[in-house]
Amino acid sequence: MSNQGQSLKHLNTFALPVYATRVIGINSVSTLITAWHEARMADQSVLLLGEGSNVLFVEDFSGTLLLNRIKGISCTEDSGAWYLHVGAGENWHQLVCYTLQHCIRGLENLALIPGCVGAAPIQNIGAYGVELQNVCQYVDLLDLNNGVSQRLMVEDCQFGYRDSIFKHCYKEGFAIIAVGIKLTKAWIPTLSHGDLTQLDPLTVTAEEIFNQVCATRRRKLPDPAVTGNAGSFFKNPIVSRKKAMEILKKYPRVPYYIQPDHCIKLAAGWLIDSCALKGHRIGGAAVHQQQALVLININNAVSQDILDLARYVRRQVVAKFAIYLEPEVRFIAANGEINSVECVG
Ligand code: FAD
Ligand code: EPU
């Protein structure tokens, strides 16, 4: 520990050289409640963190950082489904591997997503045609102020694209402590996205999907253990049909996805790419060459480099398409989360 506190370089996947006053590993609900109360008594800000794969520390965190490592996987079944009750501190990808090792299918499209199970409901993680909401049964939430936990069933979680009730109503003073997952035994492969469309739905196995997803991800996305990043920096923008038509008329190649409410989701990576920003560099930060939606720490970046690059990328996209990208990554300042859109506006 230095004068600045404890280094978070290995606790944020951007690998930024930031510090927190104190870091405490949490492996049970009781230690979580105790640590929370001690920090609050000392009038310190508190931040709950999983594996730091969806955060941008814009400066040092002046408070106590609680690392959620509450473990445990239990599994029951009935004739129709498998039911997993998973501690929030379990690693998501290890959970996917665990299910496949036990011949339980349904999580294979979500392979290799970094982070803890407890963070998965917060932005309703998704990839290759599957989102957490498709497999989630419930989320157990702890009110840290009174130690009372409640179970929110999937229909109460207000899941949407990279969104849930946990981003809005349960931010301060709440912790997700476990997630319930239901995987039906009548497995139907999801092959609607990318390279998966080439697989034969009649013969494909969950392991083949898992392998294909891992291969695609390794090709496109930088490994945070090698190159700092937080996955997609921005969300794919959802625009009105009218706005989408205007853009498609001018740029017929923009990838788009029609939403259930008839709005249109556009591929932010394509928009950034078509501004010729791949490889664009500011300080130690750069736009990833294989996936323009990913900003990377290419060479000893500091927080300001990532912020400056994000702002630059956003302005270029506004200038060309009049679309305002919103960060997917959560921005953390000295006392907690701050408004990311204002930061890059
Ligand atoms: P953290 O970054 O530690 O935390 C994220 C936020 O949740 C913070 O605000 C934190 O305070 C809060 N939080 C964390 N745990 C808890 C808890 N138990 N209770 C209450 N609040 C909590 N995401 C996708 O959806 N799809 C992808 O395909 C995808 N690919 C990625 C690829 C790469 C290479 C990387 C680096 C990231 C990717 N992501 C993806 C983003 C990231 O993996 C997910 O958002 C993941 O769920 C974050 O988990 P985490 O434990 O690292 O959360
Ligand atoms: N594209 C380009 N150039 C680029 C990047 C993308 O032309 O530089 C095009 C691709 O060719 C493709 C389209 O844009 O036609 C979409 O790209 P991709 O399939 O790589 O997916 P994405 O929309 O960029 C989303 C998620 C990812 C998730 C993948 C796979 C968001 C913000 N991102 O990315 O999630 O893994 O789909 O389903 O929704 C994350 O959230 O951190 C993340 C990595």
Side-chain angles (χ1 to χ4, degrees):
M1 192 159 101
S2 79
N3 286 342
Q4 293 158 287
Q6 279 180 253
S7 170
L8 304 182
K9 201 171 167 74
H10 299 290
L11 298 175
N12 75 104
T13 60
F14 263 124
L16 293 169
V18 284
Y19 292 80
T21 313
R22 202 162 170 228
V23 177
I24 303 177
I26 298 294
N27 52 24
S28 70
V29 168
S30 57
T31 53
L32 177 57
I33 294 171
T34 306
W36 163 267
H37 278 291
E38 279 175 11
R40 299 307 294 159
M41 295 287 277
D43 213 17
Q44 280 199 346
S45 301
V46 183
L47 179 74
L48 205 73
L49 205 67
E51 294 182 10
S53 66
N54 207 30
V55 287
L56 172 66
F57 284 95
V58 302
E59 59 189 346
D60 291 342
F61 182 68
S62 171
T64 300
L65 205 143
L66 304 179
L67 282 185
N68 172 23
R69 299 293 180 261
I70 300 172
K71 301 280 187 190
I73 303 177
S74 61
C75 184
T76 54
E77 65 179 299
D78 61 20
S79 58
W82 302 95
Y83 302 89
L84 296 146
H85 178 86
V86 190
E90 290 285 345
N91 173 270
W92 177 265
H93 179 69
Q94 292 308 319
L95 173 69
V96 176
C97 296
Y98 169 95
T99 54
L100 292 177
Q101 280 154 13
H102 289 79
C103 301
I104 301 173
R105 299 170 294 183
L107 295 185
E108 54 283 346
N109 295 57
L110 300 175
L112 270 193
I113 298 182
C116 288
V117 168
I122 297 175
Q123 74 156 8
N124 182 23
I125 57 167
Y128 300 99
V130 176
E131 290 179 318
L132 184 83
Q133 65 174 323
N134 305 125
V135 293
C136 179
Q137 191 188 14
Y138 59 80
V139 175
D140 285 347
L141 191 68
L142 179 72
D143 183 335
L144 290 158
N145 286 307
N146 59 20
V148 175
S149 62
Q150 58 172 315
R151 175 161 293 181
L152 268 76
M153 302 310 289
V154 61
E155 55 274 17
D156 299 321
C157 293
Q158 296 176 12
F159 284 126
Y161 166 63
R162 296 294 186 268
D163 201 19
S164 73
I165 197 167
F166 309 106
K167 278 193 174 181
H168 307 286
C169 301
Y170 298 110
K171 284 172 78 169
E172 287 285 305
F174 289 91
I176 290 173
I177 49 173
V179 178
I181 288 175
K182 177 180 174 183
L183 298 165
T184 47
K185 290 184 176 175
W187 177 68
I188 301 171
T190 302
L191 302 174
S192 51
H193 275 60
D195 298 346
L196 297 181
T197 54
Q198 286 153 26
L199 298 173
D200 180 352
L202 295 177
T203 58
V204 72
T205 65
E207 285 72 18
E208 281 167 346
I209 296 176
F210 173 90
N211 290 335
Q212 184 67 69
V213 166
C214 289
T216 304
R217 295 184 67 98
R218 288 196 170 108
R219 195 174 71 242
K220 285 189 180 179
L221 295 168
D223 177 357
V226 180
T227 307
N229 77 95
S232 301
F233 192 87
F234 298 99
K235 289 187 265 194
N236 285 327
I238 297 177
V239 301
S240 68
R241 211 180 148 76
K242 183 168 170 275
K243 173 77 184 168
M245 289 308 155
E246 279 166 29
I247 291 180
L248 278 160
K249 220 166 153 187
K250 219 166 158 193
Y251 306 98
R253 294 180 61 182
V254 59
Y256 68 93
Y257 318 91
I258 300 168
Q259 302 302 290
D261 64 357
H262 304 297
C263 284
I264 313 279
K265 183 154 80 176
L266 301 174
W270 188 93
L271 300 176
I272 299 169
D273 192 357
S274 76
C275 293
L277 287 171
K278 270 185 177 165
H280 188 84
R281 214 173 144 161
I282 294 184
V287 177
H288 188 46
Q289 284 285 1
Q290 277 69 43
Q291 227 297 2
L293 194 46
V294 178
L295 304 187
I296 58 173
N297 175 352
I298 198 164
N299 185 18
N300 294 320
V302 292
S303 306
Q304 196 60 45
D305 296 339
I306 308 277
L307 276 172
D308 289 346
L309 183 62
R311 202 170 289 136
Y312 182 76
V313 166
R314 191 167 186 264
R315 285 183 184 170
Q316 296 298 110
V317 172
V318 172
K320 186 161 179 180
F321 300 103
I323 286 181
Y324 294 82
L325 297 179
E326 286 181 19
E328 174 191 300
V329 171
R330 316 283 293 269
F331 286 27
I332 312 293
N335 295 111
E337 186 169 15
I338 53 168
N339 186 313
S340 59
V341 174
E342 281 171 14
C343 254
V344 296

